Amino acid sequence: MRRSVTIINLPKIEDNRGNLTFIEELNHIPFDIKRAYWIYDVPGGQKRGGHAFKEQEEFIVALSGSFDVVIQDGEGEVKYSLNRSYYGLYVPNGLWREMNNFSTNSLALVLSSTFFDESDYIRDFEKYLKWING
């Protein structure tokens, strides 16, 4: 991988009444949070993502259930399985990503470094390869 995708452990405060985890921008993740969105009710066999961002960085957490995040950089592919709410995956800009293998009732939280901007997306893999090898 050309770019540094990283699993980041988050604080986990254990208590017999239930555990608590939190995320702070510029502390646990390396960017200001501009947007948060979540993915849920994904039908069996469906995939999400399938694009890259020119500028946007992301932090992805499995709040419930499990799913895989497949990252490609034009040279190789790595799969990350997310299944705990006390760690997440930092995905820098410039990487192709796809999410799949969602378990029943899974909930994916995605924190973004930018506001939504359609022009930041690369949605065609061949165009992505041309862009990344530019």
Side-chain angles (χ1 to χ4, degrees):
M1 272 289 127
R2 298 181 207 188
R3 309 288 311 259
S4 185
V5 176
T6 309
I7 293 283
I8 297 175
N9 290 310
L10 299 168
K12 181 179 178 186
I13 301 169
E14 297 184 70
D15 188 299
N16 60 5
R17 300 169 296 162
N19 300 331
L20 182 142
T21 292
F22 59 94
I23 302 168
E24 294 176 346
E25 61 187 0
L26 299 175
N27 183 5
H28 305 115
I29 58 175
F31 58 83
D32 288 318
I33 300 168
K34 301 290 187 200
R35 180 168 50 116
Y37 61 94
W38 43 99
I39 300 167
Y40 57 97
D41 292 343
V42 178
Q46 291 298 310
K47 298 177 181 180
R48 298 294 313 223
H51 56 260
F53 295 107
K54 299 172 193 168
E55 300 297 327
Q56 178 177 298
E57 302 168 77
E58 292 184 325
F59 185 68
I60 305 169
V61 180
L63 291 182
S64 180
S66 64
F67 52 87
D68 296 332
V69 181
V70 180
I71 305 291
Q72 296 185 49
D73 67 354
E75 293 179 353
E77 176 180 293
V78 179
K79 178 177 79 172
Y80 298 88
S81 295
L82 300 181
N83 58 14
R84 297 286 186 261
S85 59
Y86 51 84
Y87 66 82
L89 185 67
Y90 168 67
V91 182
N93 62 333
L95 296 171
W96 187 267
R97 73 137 169 99
E98 180 177 279
M99 299 167 71
N100 59 37
N101 198 27
F102 287 86
S103 69
T104 302
N105 295 323
S106 60
L107 173 58
L109 171 67
V110 183
L111 303 177
S112 170
S113 66
T114 64
F115 297 114
F116 177 79
D117 179 1
E118 182 62 34
S119 68
D120 191 41
Y121 285 73
I122 303 171
R123 296 185 185 273
D124 178 274
F125 190 69
E126 294 304 316
K127 288 180 182 177
Y128 167 73
L129 290 176
K130 289 178 184 174
W131 178 79
I132 199 71
N133 293 314

